[in-house]
Amino acid sequence: MSSKSLRATHVEYMNDPREMHHAIDVLESLVTNDHFIGTLSAKEAPGFIVSAIRRDAALRGFPMFVAAFSKHPDRLSQWRGYGDGGRGYALGFRLKLGAEKPFGGSADVALSSPLSAVRCIYNKKQQAKALDPFVDMFRKLDKCLASSSRPHGETVKAVARHFLRLAVYYEVVLKHPAYDEEAEVRVVCLGVKDTVVSFRDPPGPPVPYVTIRFQIPTDPMPLVDVVTGPRQPFGVAGAKLFLKSREVVTTTVSQSNTPFR
């Protein structure tokens, strides 16, 4: 609040150990279950391209950082997992949901208000539908190979590079269904060459993060409401005084309706 900024955590240090890999797992399952006939067999072309995506993703050369939100302002699982056991606060931000580009910008650039964000997809059928463009490209791969004058291996590598550019988006949007309860909405930033990376203070392992400034002088503060935790019965008055001291006067402050003690 004082720094007018947010922390975005390196995507590979999130709670889900399969972060960044789940989307590729889903893609691999879809293409190996589909039927391809032509120059390359079903096992050869899709397997080669998926392997290339995995390899290139690991060697991409630029990190991604995520500031995570939830569309649910007052949910028991969120208080337990992220709200200091119900003694914390839920901060509501003005977000602009974008269907195509989840990236708010590089981490060293102030983000405009409302913040650009993307909603995660957990449902398996919706994930498969989201990956339809990938599967369609696999189906067209035989035509590409048949008409190409280049060696087949070079053509497949070119397709793999194109897939990687699309995969960057889906890697941060498709999440394991077990995390559906979180209903996550993400602001994603790409680390650039001169990005300053910090680390969380102990206790705990060193987790890298970047600081994202969300306040531009001509923009309003994107914080729009605050919900005080269910185990903090006297938090509303204190939160209002604190916000007033920081000259944030348009924010609604309320007490959680979740019964929890």
Side-chain angles (χ1 to χ4, degrees), residues 77-257:
S77 61
Q78 296 297 94
W79 289 119
R80 283 174 165 168
Y82 305 103
D84 191 23
R87 292 178 289 271
Y89 299 86
L91 307 181
F93 286 85
R94 185 186 299 108
L95 299 178
K96 180 181 179 181
L97 291 175
E100 299 297 330
K101 297 181 179 179
F103 306 111
S106 59
D108 59 348
V109 177
L111 302 181
S112 61
S113 174
L115 300 177
S116 178
V118 64
R119 186 173 288 149
C120 291
I121 302 174
Y122 302 91
N123 181 274
K124 290 183 178 180
K125 290 184 178 180
Q126 292 177 359
Q127 291 180 351
K129 184 177 180 180
L131 290 173
D132 272 347
F134 281 89
V135 179
D136 287 341
M137 288 182 67
F138 276 120
R139 295 190 182 113
K140 296 174 182 177
L141 181 58
D142 283 325
K143 283 186 178 181
C144 175
L145 292 170
S147 62
S148 175
S149 60
R150 295 189 299 176
H152 291 164
E154 291 184 14
T155 303
V156 174
K157 288 180 181 178
V159 175
R161 286 193 293 271
H162 180 70
F163 271 53
L164 178 61
R165 288 193 290 270
L166 295 175
V168 170
Y169 170 75
Y170 290 106
E171 283 172 344
V172 296
V173 173
L174 272 58
K175 293 203 63 178
H176 194 282
Y179 289 82
D180 177 68
E181 179 79 7
E182 295 186 348
E184 189 174 343
V185 178
R186 292 180 154 184
V187 172
V188 184
C189 288
L190 305 181
V192 295
K193 182 178 179 181
D194 298 323
T195 297
V196 177
V197 179
S198 304
F199 294 85
R200 284 187 196 167
D201 296 330
V207 176
Y209 70 90
V210 295
T211 300
I212 307 172
R213 293 179 291 115
F214 58 70
Q215 180 73 357
I216 295 178
T218 57
D219 287 339
M221 172 81 83
L223 181 67
V224 293
D225 56 46
V226 175
V227 180
T228 64
R231 299 178 68 185
Q232 192 188 85
F234 305 108
V236 172
K240 287 182 176 179
L241 288 173
F242 176 80
L243 292 170
K244 185 177 181 180
S245 72
R246 295 297 186 271
E247 298 182 346
V248 181
V249 295
T250 59
T251 303
T252 301
V253 182
S254 60
Q255 174 71 36
S256 167
N257 291 318

Side-chain angles (χ1 to χ4, degrees), residues 54-69:
R54 289 191 190 279
R55 181 179 64 253
D56 290 346
L59 302 175
R60 183 182 292 113
F62 56 84
M64 287 193 286
F65 298 87
V66 171
F69 304 83

